[in-house]
Amino acid sequence: MKRLILLCAVVMGFALTSGTASAQDNEKAEFKFNEEKHDFGKIPQGTPVTTEFVFTNVGTAPLILAEVRPTCGCTIADYTKTPVKPGEKGVIKITYNAAAAMPFNKTIVVKSNAKTPEKYLNIVGEVIAKATTGTGTN
């Protein structure tokens, strides 16, 4: 009889623990981006370009960005540093330096307290070499 009561207590403990964990998951922040990939198209070499990834916190808790890290030194990130309340918007601003003439596909890693704690944003495009102008004299 004691074993049966102990077994019931263990089963109830697991049931309560799993219910609490799912309730905590529902009480988190969550991103909803307008876009997660931005295509700059063709851009002239040496002319930096910027885009803004706008997001809304569709969760139930304030959304806090812990880190926004581009995967290369040719890209700079600036972002909303204050907590984004549920229903409000935040911005991640990305600038690409366009120094090298070639296609590019860069990833930005976003770490936060959201249900999805790590998000990936992408920028793509092609840097076109500047036309060389001849300065010949006759």
Side-chain angles (χ1 to χ4, degrees):
M1 186 65 167
K2 287 182 183 180
R3 287 184 185 179
L4 182 59
I5 293 172
L6 180 62
L7 180 61
C8 287
V10 169
V11 170
M12 289 295 287
F14 282 127
L16 290 174
T17 303
S18 66
T20 304
S22 64
Q24 288 174 348
D25 285 346
N26 291 334
E27 296 175 11
K28 285 200 170 193
E30 186 60 11
F31 289 107
K32 180 168 179 31
F33 281 92
N34 290 357
E35 67 174 349
E36 294 184 23
K37 181 178 183 180
H38 180 78
D39 187 349
F40 285 107
K42 294 183 186 301
I43 56 176
Q45 184 177 11
T47 305
V49 290
T50 300
T51 189
E52 290 185 347
F53 291 96
V54 178
F55 63 89
T56 303
N57 179 359
V58 295
T60 57
L63 177 60
I64 300 168
L65 301 181
E67 179 182 19
V68 177
R69 181 178 40 87
T71 54
C72 79
C74 57
T75 308
I76 299 170
D78 190 19
Y79 58 94
T80 302
K81 309 261 188 323
T82 56
V84 179
K85 295 177 184 172
E88 292 187 353
K89 295 183 183 298
V91 176
I92 298 173
K93 182 178 171 182
I94 303 297
T95 301
Y96 178 70
N97 71 5
M102 63 183 185
F104 64 91
N105 182 351
K106 303 298 177 184
T107 301
I108 298 91
V109 181
V110 180
K111 294 185 179 184
S112 71
N113 68 329
K115 284 182 193 176
T116 309
E118 198 167 276
K119 224 30 172 162
Y120 300 95
L121 304 174
N122 291 91
I123 56 170
V124 298
E126 183 176 1
V127 178
I128 305 299
K130 286 184 177 180
T132 56
T133 55
T135 56
T137 55
N138 291 3

